[in-house]
Amino acid sequence: MTDQTIIDLFWQRSEDAIRNKSQKYGKYLTKIAMNILNYYEESEECVNDTYFAAWKQIPPDRPQRLLPYLGRITRCLALNRYDYLTAQKRNAEFTLQLSELEECLTGTDSVETQYESGEVASVISAFLRMQPSDIRNIFIRRYWFSDSITEIASRFHLSESKVKSTLFRTRKRLKKHLESEGYHV
């Protein structure tokens, strides 16, 4: 079933929209949540919350591409859940990813505050568009999808050390780019 057909089912308020969406994208959305939360039950809850949020938002929204639309909802819900869960304990892998980016984005605000405010999002997007596709994809897999170094190395047929060095160099270039755009780093 195509994305447009599923969106049309949402507009008709048909419960088939959720069933079809779950069959088509359930594993993908669970993977996004799992990479952030590291708990299957919490990830499943985020995916279910994604379905509910999409049900409430479509209509009036009519996304052009359903997969990124749902992925963004899942990621936001998982990040919110992560904040709640880390009030008591830490997910070491995701905390490591955030600390890697803090090297580029340190300042008076936290990374989350700067990103959520939208101040640096467009600058980072412009920076990534200037990068070769392989470097951009590695960066996005790590910091958007929260893939582990091992998963990225396997996906792109690289050694783990190559992935680590690529990420390190890209973060250094991002830091310089942010500084050149006037952001305090």
Side-chain angles (χ1 to χ4, degrees), residues 118-134:
E119 294 174 7
V120 295
S122 61
V123 175
I124 293 172
S125 292
F127 168 79
L128 289 173
R129 282 191 294 274
M130 293 186 295
Q131 302 306 305
S133 64
D134 56 335

PDB file of all heavy atoms in Angstrom, residues 118-134:
ATOM      1  N   GLY A 118      15.861  25.782  17.551  1.00  0.00           N
ATOM      2  CA  GLY A 118      15.961  25.944  16.109  1.00  0.00           C
ATOM      3  C   GLY A 118      17.060  26.880  15.663  1.00  0.00           C
ATOM      4  O   GLY A 118      17.201  27.142  14.473  1.00  0.00           O
ATOM      5  N   GLU A 119      17.850  27.388  16.616  1.00  0.00           N
ATOM      6  CA  GLU A 119      18.881  28.353  16.265  1.00  0.00           C
ATOM      7  C   GLU A 119      19.956  27.758  15.366  1.00  0.00           C
ATOM      8  O   GLU A 119      20.460  28.422  14.468  1.00  0.00           O
ATOM      9  CB  GLU A 119      19.537  28.908  17.526  1.00  0.00           C
ATOM     10  CG  GLU A 119      18.612  29.735  18.371  1.00  0.00           C
ATOM     11  CD  GLU A 119      19.259  30.155  19.677  1.00  0.00           C
ATOM     12  OE1 GLU A 119      20.459  29.927  19.867  1.00  0.00           O
ATOM     13  OE2 GLU A 119      18.540  30.699  20.511  1.00  0.00           O
ATOM     14  N   VAL A 120      20.326  26.517  15.636  1.00  0.00           N
ATOM     15  CA  VAL A 120      21.437  25.933  14.885  1.00  0.00           C
ATOM     16  C   VAL A 120      20.995  24.882  13.868  1.00  0.00           C
ATOM     17  O   VAL A 120      21.810  24.437  13.062  1.00  0.00           O
ATOM     18  CB  VAL A 120      22.490  25.313  15.830  1.00  0.00           C
ATOM     19  CG1 VAL A 120      23.149  26.369  16.670  1.00  0.00           C
ATOM     20  CG2 VAL A 120      21.903  24.224  16.679  1.00  0.00           C
ATOM     21  N   ALA A 121      19.751  24.520  13.874  1.00  0.00           N
ATOM     22  CA  ALA A 121      19.288  23.438  12.991  1.00  0.00           C
ATOM     23  C   ALA A 121      19.547  23.747  11.525  1.00  0.00           C
ATOM     24  O   ALA A 121      20.040  22.894  10.777  1.00  0.00           O
ATOM     25  CB  ALA A 121      17.809  23.161  13.223  1.00  0.00           C
ATOM     26  N   SER A 122      19.235  24.944  11.102  1.00  0.00           N
ATOM     27  CA  SER A 122      19.426  25.274   9.684  1.00  0.00           C
ATOM     28  C   SER A 122      20.905  25.360   9.329  1.00  0.00           C
ATOM     29  O   SER A 122      21.304  24.998   8.216  1.00  0.00           O
ATOM     30  CB  SER A 122      18.716  26.579   9.321  1.00  0.00           C
ATOM     31  OG  SER A 122      19.235  27.648  10.068  1.00  0.00           O
ATOM     32  N   VAL A 123      21.744  25.792  10.263  1.00  0.00           N
ATOM     33  CA  VAL A 123      23.184  25.866  10.011  1.00  0.00           C
ATOM     34  C   VAL A 123      23.760  24.453   9.879  1.00  0.00           C
ATOM     35  O   VAL A 123      24.569  24.176   8.988  1.00  0.00           O
ATOM     36  CB  VAL A 123      23.906  26.661  11.124  1.00  0.00           C
ATOM     37  CG1 VAL A 123      25.405  26.630  10.935  1.00  0.00           C
ATOM     38  CG2 VAL A 123      23.395  28.096  11.167  1.00  0.00           C
ATOM     39  N   ILE A 124      23.319  23.544  10.745  1.00  0.00           N
ATOM     40  CA  ILE A 124      23.785  22.155  10.664  1.00  0.00           C
ATOM     41  C   ILE A 124      23.309  21.520   9.368  1.00  0.00           C
ATOM     42  O   ILE A 124      24.071  20.818   8.696  1.00  0.00           O
ATOM     43  CB  ILE A 124      23.324  21.347  11.890  1.00  0.00           C
ATOM     44  CG1 ILE A 124      24.028  21.864  13.149  1.00  0.00           C
ATOM     45  CG2 ILE A 124      23.595  19.858  11.706  1.00  0.00           C
ATOM     46  CD1 ILE A 124      23.515  21.272  14.445  1.00  0.00           C
ATOM     47  N   SER A 125      22.074  21.773   8.988  1.00  0.00           N
ATOM     48  CA  SER A 125      21.554  21.220   7.726  1.00  0.00           C
ATOM     49  C   SER A 125      22.359  21.718   6.539  1.00  0.00           C
ATOM     50  O   SER A 125      22.699  20.941   5.642  1.00  0.00           O
ATOM     51  CB  SER A 125      20.078  21.599   7.543  1.00  0.00           C
ATOM     52  OG  SER A 125      19.288  20.949   8.485  1.00  0.00           O
ATOM     53  N   ALA A 126      22.661  22.995   6.533  1.00  0.00           N
ATOM     54  CA  ALA A 126      23.458  23.553   5.431  1.00  0.00           C
ATOM     55  C   ALA A 126      24.851  22.929   5.410  1.00  0.00           C
ATOM     56  O   ALA A 126      25.376  22.591   4.342  1.00  0.00           O
ATOM     57  CB  ALA A 126      23.555  25.073   5.575  1.00  0.00           C
ATOM     58  N   PHE A 127      25.440  22.752   6.583  1.00  0.00           N
ATOM     59  CA  PHE A 127      26.751  22.113   6.670  1.00  0.00           C
ATOM     60  C   PHE A 127      26.702  20.698   6.102  1.00  0.00           C
ATOM     61  O   PHE A 127      27.567  20.299   5.318  1.00  0.00           O
ATOM     62  CB  PHE A 127      27.227  22.090   8.131  1.00  0.00           C
ATOM     63  CG  PHE A 127      28.410  21.205   8.376  1.00  0.00           C
ATOM     64  CD1 PHE A 127      29.689  21.629   8.046  1.00  0.00           C
ATOM     65  CD2 PHE A 127      28.244  19.934   8.915  1.00  0.00           C
ATOM     66  CE1 PHE A 127      30.785  20.806   8.257  1.00  0.00           C
ATOM     67  CE2 PHE A 127      29.335  19.110   9.132  1.00  0.00           C
ATOM     68  CZ  PHE A 127      30.607  19.541   8.796  1.00  0.00           C
ATOM     69  N   LEU A 128      25.676  19.942   6.491  1.00  0.00           N
ATOM     70  CA  LEU A 128      25.574  18.554   6.025  1.00  0.00           C
ATOM     71  C   LEU A 128      25.355  18.471   4.519  1.00  0.00           C
ATOM     72  O   LEU A 128      25.855  17.564   3.861  1.00  0.00           O
ATOM     73  CB  LEU A 128      24.467  17.813   6.771  1.00  0.00           C
ATOM     74  CG  LEU A 128      24.770  17.496   8.234  1.00  0.00           C
ATOM     75  CD1 LEU A 128      23.552  16.917   8.928  1.00  0.00           C
ATOM     76  CD2 LEU A 128      25.964  16.569   8.353  1.00  0.00           C
ATOM     77  N   ARG A 129      24.619  19.415   3.965  1.00  0.00           N
ATOM     78  CA  ARG A 129      24.412  19.423   2.504  1.00  0.00           C
ATOM     79  C   ARG A 129      25.713  19.668   1.756  1.00  0.00           C
ATOM     80  O   ARG A 129      25.858  19.252   0.613  1.00  0.00           O
ATOM     81  CB  ARG A 129      23.364  20.457   2.119  1.00  0.00           C
ATOM     82  CG  ARG A 129      21.935  19.990   2.382  1.00  0.00           C
ATOM     83  CD  ARG A 129      20.909  20.914   1.741  1.00  0.00           C
ATOM     84  NE  ARG A 129      20.897  22.239   2.316  1.00  0.00           N
ATOM     85  CZ  ARG A 129      20.206  22.593   3.392  1.00  0.00           C
ATOM     86  NH1 ARG A 129      19.469  21.703   4.022  1.00  0.00           N
ATOM     87  NH2 ARG A 129      20.247  23.825   3.850  1.00  0.00           N
ATOM     88  N   MET A 130      26.678  20.309   2.399  1.00  0.00           N
ATOM     89  CA  MET A 130      27.977  20.567   1.765  1.00  0.00           C
ATOM     90  C   MET A 130      28.906  19.351   1.825  1.00  0.00           C
ATOM     91  O   MET A 130      29.914  19.327   1.148  1.00  0.00           O
ATOM     92  CB  MET A 130      28.672  21.757   2.439  1.00  0.00           C
ATOM     93  CG  MET A 130      27.970  23.081   2.221  1.00  0.00           C
ATOM     94  SD  MET A 130      28.895  24.486   2.880  1.00  0.00           S
ATOM     95  CE  MET A 130      28.880  24.171   4.635  1.00  0.00           C
ATOM     96  N   GLN A 131      28.557  18.368   2.640  1.00  0.00           N
ATOM     97  CA  GLN A 131      29.420  17.201   2.818  1.00  0.00           C
ATOM     98  C   GLN A 131      29.153  16.160   1.732  1.00  0.00           C
ATOM     99  O   GLN A 131      28.032  16.063   1.220  1.00  0.00           O
ATOM    100  CB  GLN A 131      29.174  16.571   4.191  1.00  0.00           C
ATOM    101  CG  GLN A 131      29.392  17.500   5.357  1.00  0.00           C
ATOM    102  CD  GLN A 131      30.763  18.145   5.339  1.00  0.00           C
ATOM    103  OE1 GLN A 131      31.778  17.467   5.292  1.00  0.00           O
ATOM    104  NE2 GLN A 131      30.784  19.471   5.357  1.00  0.00           N
ATOM    105  N   PRO A 132      30.160  15.351   1.403  1.00  0.00           N
ATOM    106  CA  PRO A 132      29.932  14.233   0.483  1.00  0.00           C
ATOM    107  C   PRO A 132      28.858  13.305   1.069  1.00  0.00           C
ATOM    108  O   PRO A 132      28.707  13.205   2.297  1.00  0.00           O
ATOM    109  CB  PRO A 132      31.289  13.526   0.428  1.00  0.00           C
ATOM    110  CG  PRO A 132      32.281  14.541   0.878  1.00  0.00           C
ATOM    111  CD  PRO A 132      31.560  15.448   1.827  1.00  0.00           C
ATOM    112  N   SER A 133      28.123  12.637   0.219  1.00  0.00           N
ATOM    113  CA  SER A 133      26.978  11.843   0.676  1.00  0.00           C
ATOM    114  C   SER A 133      27.366  10.756   1.671  1.00  0.00           C
ATOM    115  O   SER A 133      26.621  10.507   2.625  1.00  0.00           O
ATOM    116  CB  SER A 133      26.227  11.237  -0.510  1.00  0.00           C
ATOM    117  OG  SER A 133      27.052  10.324  -1.187  1.00  0.00           O
ATOM    118  N   ASP A 134      28.523  10.121   1.500  1.00  0.00           N
ATOM    119  CA  ASP A 134      28.895   9.060   2.436  1.00  0.00           C
ATOM    120  C   ASP A 134      29.147   9.619   3.838  1.00  0.00           C
ATOM    121  O   ASP A 134      28.707   9.046   4.838  1.00  0.00           O
ATOM    122  CB  ASP A 134      30.101   8.259   1.930  1.00  0.00           C
ATOM    123  CG  ASP A 134      31.321   9.115   1.642  1.00  0.00           C
ATOM    124  OD1 ASP A 134      31.169  10.322   1.372  1.00  0.00           O
ATOM    125  OD2 ASP A 134      32.437   8.563   1.680  1.00  0.00           O
TER     126      ASP A 134
END
